Amino acid sequence: MLKPFTLIAFALAAAITANAQNKIRPKKDTTELKPVIIKGYLSDQPVISVPASVSVLNAAQLRIQPDNSFVNALNTVPGVRTEERSPGSYRLSIRGSLLRSPFGVRDVKIYFDDIPLTDAGGNSYLNAIDIAAIQKVEILKGPDGSLFGANSGGVVILSPLNRYNDSTYISAGVNGGSYGLFHEKAAVQLKTTNYLLNINQSFQTYHGYRQNSDTHRNYLQLADSWNYSGKNTLKALGIYSDLAYETPGGLNLAQYNTDPRLARQPTPTLPGAIQQHIGITTKMYLGGLTNEYHFNDHIRNVLAVFGNHVDFANPFITNYEQRSENTYGFRTYFELTGDQKPNLDWKVDLGFEWQQTNSHIANYGNNKGVKDTTQTIDDIHTNQHFVFVRYAADVYKRLHVEAAVSLNNYGYDFKNIYPLNQNNFTNRNFSAQLMPRLALSYQIINALAWRASVSRGYSTPTTAEVRPTDNIVNTSLQAQYGWNYETGFRLRNSDETFMLDASVYYYRLNNAIVRRLNADETEHYINAGGTNQLGTEASLYYWIIRPNRYSFIRGLQFNESFTYSHFRFRDYIVTDANYSGNRLTGVPKNVFVSSVQIRFPENLALFVQHTFTSKIPLNDASTVYAPKYNLLQARVSYQPTIARKTHFEIFAAADNLLNQKYSLGNDLNAVGNRYYNAAPLRNYSMGMNFMY
């Protein structure tokens, strides 16, 4: 059943459409809508013909959402769940659970164009990135290791440059709001005939809704592109991020109901979050070069070399962890393109990716936020590499076929520095794994394309799972794997003002990696049976009144996304408890996201978005649930005309207008039933943006 907001939106849309059709416009509308293009599968292609479930958030879609966090923008994509238990503490899953991620991003591969943000140990510091510096996000849903290596969740590709804005400009913006929010950003882009330089700088601070939730981040991003000969291009990317945030910790239900703004409270045996000054600091340096070279009209090569360094510290309730991580590697592929013919257009890609991450991990006692007695120190060196090949063909410009496979290798070496003072590393190698993918898309008519695919997912344990907070290196932990089967369709109209994308999939995962908590609240990971994941996703966008310059309504767009997740444990037995058949912990069954964007004369615009999330199981036994919730947010903006090349915007926004009490990120299977991390109640922000 559709939500009331959705029904109202449809009714409003129908009424306005009928009214608009009865009017005669005095002039021809010259506003042009560009088709959605993705680059994730190594080369540009229109999304209508892509034989995979992909979603794209372009610059316009990102800018209409709050630019203080990835959460709102990513959660508009069906099948994607992004959580923020405290400001700056992201969790991200695609068509899956968050059982492996008490915090951070695991089992999802993230790239900056051709440079991996995900390290060899499987961790991605997405929270180090400022979304305001990102121009486009592509999300490839479902296991896709044929081109991107071991993963069973999916792939996210971040683009620092906007292909539709290749001019020279200077921009700046500032916004502030409830609970001490302040976000400043500035950018400069220089463009010549063959050269483009883009620099983004930002600072963000937020005191937070709850106790012990202060956060701040300094961010600098450089993206450089030099077309040095014909189509040949050399690109450079550099990132510096200094992030620090406090973590309030979970509350039990009584505490959550009494005062949700509290930080985790002390107990007779353990201090609380404030007493221990718990939080996380992450300082990251990332850099890389990418060269695209065309030998001729049929052969090109893309080569990326990259490296990053991360300093990480986490004073927690029971210990104080420090990590120093160094990653380096390269990714390259050759593409051979055949002669274009009316009945056949084909290409072959052959590539290789190699990564090494060296981690120095030390744990100490935590004496009120100060390092105390050394507990243990380990060195872990993680290596992953894979070779991939892909064949893609368009037959009669109707049938698009792709066949791809990768051979994946993964292993790690470890030794204990303290207290054992080991001299030699112990090696743990996983057997090489094939990850095939076969997909096709058939354009039945110009407006309708049907697709189907089958692919294998394979995800090795991350460094944080091999060496979790119990400080024991777990060499028995195995990789999880499974097969994903999927079909769907896309329906559009001729002027790109309407697109409906729907899919259904079944993912049978084996050897599922799940997190377990010890009595002292340290964690460890086990392989626990598997999961059966049956899901349905749908997204719709419709310019009911297409962008124009003459009507009172200068544009009316309606968006809807729907996610249905029928996820169940299978053969999941822990000691005397059998969780088989229970719902997958942390996954809501239904999520609806509906929005309306209305443009008025004088560059006045209104955006309203409603999100419904059904109840969420909080433990594997499915005995405790977080209640369903509805979120309503709105944004109004005004862009007065100053000059042809000068743009100025002022805006005001409100979040959680219904004043819902909810938890945007729960602690799953929490000790002491401390599941809840309260999100802010009704809150407001306002700001301005300038571009010249």
Side-chain angles (χ1 to χ4, degrees):
M1 179 178 179
L2 291 176
K3 310 181 302 303
F5 181 82
T6 306
L7 294 175
I8 293 172
F10 271 123
L12 176 64
I16 295 176
T17 302
N19 184 52
Q21 288 174 342
N22 291 329
K23 294 182 178 181
I24 300 175
R25 293 179 178 172
K27 297 180 181 180
K28 182 180 178 181
D29 183 0
T30 58
T31 303
E32 181 181 356
L33 296 174
K34 296 180 174 65
V36 179
I37 302 294
I38 73 157
K39 191 180 179 181
Y41 290 100
L42 307 185
S43 57
D44 290 355
Q45 52 186 315
V47 72
I48 185 71
S49 63
V50 176
S53 288
V54 300
S55 294
V56 177
L57 297 171
N58 60 32
Q61 292 168 302
L62 293 174
R63 296 297 87 89
I64 205 169
Q65 297 287 344
D67 65 359
N68 309 308
S69 167
F70 275 92
V71 171
N72 284 277
L74 292 182
N75 281 344
T76 63
V77 177
V80 175
R81 181 163 181 81
T82 314
E83 298 183 345
E84 197 169 16
R85 297 180 307 154
S86 60
S89 181
Y90 291 149
R91 296 195 297 188
L92 170 66
S93 70
I94 302 176
R95 292 183 173 179
S97 75
L98 299 165
L99 285 175
R100 296 178 62 177
S101 304
F103 67 90
V105 180
R106 303 174 190 171
D107 201 25
V108 175
K109 197 79 178 285
I110 302 180
Y111 285 81
F112 255 99
D113 282 345
D114 291 294
I115 295 174
L117 182 66
T118 304
D119 63 28
N123 189 35
S124 304
Y125 291 103
L126 180 62
N127 56 353
I129 307 302
D130 187 353
I131 190 174
I134 302 303
Q135 299 299 319
K136 183 180 179 182
V137 180
E138 294 183 12
I139 300 171
L140 316 180
K141 292 180 283 188
D144 208 333
S146 60
L147 299 179
F148 303 101
N151 73 83
S152 56
V155 178
V156 176
I157 301 173
L158 308 176
S159 297
L161 297 176
N162 183 355
R163 66 165 63 220
Y164 299 119
N165 189 350
D166 60 356
S167 60
T168 294
Y169 66 83
I170 298 173
S171 69
V174 63
N175 65 76
S178 305
Y179 311 118
L181 171 66
F182 176 78
H183 186 196
E184 165 272 325
K185 59 186 179 181
V188 59
Q189 180 165 291
L190 303 175
K191 176 68 170 67
T192 64
T193 303
N194 298 315
Y195 185 76
L196 187 149
L197 173 66
N198 181 281
I199 302 174
N200 281 265
Q201 173 275 331
S202 67
F203 171 76
Q204 180 173 326
T205 185
Y206 181 54
H207 298 315
Y209 170 68
R210 298 177 62 195
Q211 297 174 344
N212 203 65
S213 58
D214 192 73
T215 181
H216 71 265
R217 179 179 58 220
N218 282 291
Y219 185 76
L220 183 64
Q221 174 182 297
L222 179 148
D224 186 37
S225 178
W226 174 39
N227 186 283
Y228 58 87
S229 173
K231 298 179 180 179
N232 303 323
T233 305
L234 178 65
K235 295 187 294 184
L237 175 70
I239 293 172
Y240 166 75
S241 178
D242 186 358
L243 169 69
Y245 61 92
E246 298 173 331
T247 51
L251 301 175
N252 62 35
L253 184 59
Q255 296 164 343
Y256 177 69
N257 288 331
T258 301
D259 187 356
R261 299 190 68 169
L262 291 173
R264 173 175 166 166
Q265 298 297 289
T267 69
T269 57
L270 289 172
I274 294 176
Q275 291 77 18
Q276 288 293 77
H277 299 279
I278 65 174
I280 290 177
T281 59
T282 305
K283 187 174 290 187
M284 182 179 75
Y285 307 84
L286 181 147
L289 294 172
T290 302
N291 184 69
E292 180 174 345
Y293 186 80
H294 293 250
F295 295 91
N296 52 47
D297 291 339
H298 297 285
I299 301 176
R300 71 181 179 109
N301 171 255
V302 176
L303 170 65
V305 294
F306 51 85
N308 70 65
H309 171 76
V310 175
D311 288 318
F312 175 93
N314 178 203
F316 186 58
I317 296 292
T318 54
N319 65 21
Y320 191 120
E321 180 172 290
Q322 280 191 317
R323 301 200 304 257
S324 177
E325 302 169 338
N326 293 287
T327 298
Y328 47 91
F330 70 92
R331 174 180 173 87
T332 186
Y333 62 89
F334 287 86
E335 183 172 272
L336 172 64
T337 304
D339 291 323
Q340 291 190 3
K341 298 178 181 179
N343 61 342
L344 181 64
D345 184 10
W346 62 268
K347 62 183 62 176
V348 174
D349 297 284
L350 175 64
F352 183 78
E353 181 178 309
W354 177 87
Q355 269 188 296
Q356 174 84 24
T357 297
N358 297 334
S359 303
H360 181 79
I361 308 173
N363 290 88
Y364 309 89
N366 182 13
N367 183 12
K368 299 180 180 179
V370 178
K371 288 190 299 184
D372 202 341
T373 308
T374 304
Q375 295 178 350
T376 185
I377 302 175
D378 292 297
D379 281 347
I380 298 182
H381 297 170
T382 307
N383 179 278
Q384 67 158 320
H385 57 276
F386 61 94
V387 59
F388 62 89
V389 61
R390 167 181 176 259
Y391 173 80
D394 281 305
V395 183
Y396 289 104
K397 301 188 183 301
R398 290 285 183 184
L399 176 63
H400 184 87
V401 179
E402 290 189 12
V405 65
S406 68
L407 180 64
N408 291 261
N409 291 271
Y410 174 82
Y412 59 87
D413 303 325
F414 65 94
K415 70 176 179 179
N416 182 261
I417 307 300
Y418 179 87
L420 300 180
N421 194 28
Q422 294 176 336
N423 293 319
N424 299 316
F425 282 89
T426 299
N427 179 259
R428 169 73 166 95
N429 280 328
F430 290 69
S431 58
Q433 296 286 323
L434 284 172
M435 294 186 67
R437 177 176 178 267
L438 179 63
L440 59 88
S441 172
Y442 183 70
Q443 202 156 342
I444 301 171
I445 55 175
N446 186 56
L448 176 63
W450 167 82
R451 67 182 184 273
S453 66
V454 57
S455 60
R456 184 174 188 260
Y458 172 76
S459 179
T460 52
T462 66
T463 300
E465 294 161 345
V466 169
R467 202 271 194 190
T469 58
D470 66 359
N471 301 336
I472 298 173
V473 177
N474 182 3
T475 58
S476 64
L477 194 61
Q478 303 294 318
Q480 63 182 29
Y481 62 93
W483 286 90
N484 183 74
Y485 308 90
E486 182 170 347
T487 187
F489 69 90
R490 293 186 180 94
L491 179 65
R492 66 173 180 180
N493 59 3
S494 59
D495 60 2
E496 300 287 341
T497 58
F498 171 88
M499 172 77 82
L500 172 63
D501 190 337
S503 63
V504 59
Y505 64 91
Y506 173 65
Y507 189 22
R508 181 180 173 88
L509 189 66
N510 300 292
N511 257 8
I513 298 174
V514 298
R515 175 178 179 250
R516 307 300 298 175
L517 289 171
N518 304 311
D520 63 357
E521 299 196 41
T522 60
E523 65 186 12
H524 66 281
Y525 292 83
I526 62 172
N527 295 107
T531 59
N532 294 334
Q533 299 175 200
L534 175 65
T536 300
E537 299 165 355
S539 63
L540 165 73
Y541 75 80
Y542 181 26
W543 281 100
I544 300 169
I545 299 178
R546 64 173 298 159
N548 66 87
R549 302 175 184 176
Y550 311 113
S551 302
F552 175 71
I553 302 295
R554 298 292 171 89
L556 172 61
Q557 185 187 45
F558 173 70
N559 290 271
E560 177 74 27
S561 76
F562 166 65
T563 304
Y564 170 74
S565 303
H566 185 84
F567 294 177
R568 295 291 186 270
F569 287 117
R570 185 188 75 253
D571 303 324
Y572 182 13
I573 301 174
V574 180
T575 59
D576 296 329
N578 188 345
Y579 301 127
S580 301
N582 290 357
R583 287 180 54 183
L584 199 60
T585 317
V587 179
K589 181 181 290 186
N590 297 299
V591 177
F592 291 86
V593 182
S594 314
S595 67
V596 173
Q597 179 184 172
I598 308 176
R599 299 179 183 178
F600 299 99
E602 306 301 328
N603 293 315
L604 184 67
L606 173 65
F607 175 74
V608 180
Q609 180 169 289
H610 172 250
T611 302
F612 167 79
T613 304
S614 63
K615 65 180 184 178
I616 303 171
L618 300 181
N619 60 3
D620 296 347
S622 292
T623 57
V624 182
Y625 285 80
K628 63 184 179 181
Y629 58 87
N630 292 272
L631 298 180
L632 184 64
Q633 66 186 85
R635 183 182 191 270
V636 60
S637 65
Y638 173 53
Q639 300 183 52
T641 301
I642 299 177
R644 185 173 64 88
K645 292 185 177 182
T646 303
H647 304 276
F648 178 70
E649 177 192 38
I650 57 175
F651 65 89
D655 185 37
N656 196 5
L657 281 166
L658 302 177
N659 216 33
Q660 290 273 283
K661 184 178 180 180
Y662 73 105
S663 181
L664 185 60
N666 303 284
D667 291 345
L668 307 178
N669 295 311
V671 173
N673 299 321
R674 287 185 287 266
Y675 300 109
Y676 305 97
N677 294 278
L681 297 176
R682 186 183 298 118
N683 59 96
Y684 307 93
S685 64
M686 62 184 303
M688 61 183 68
N689 296 305
F690 173 82
M691 177 180 287
Y692 172 74

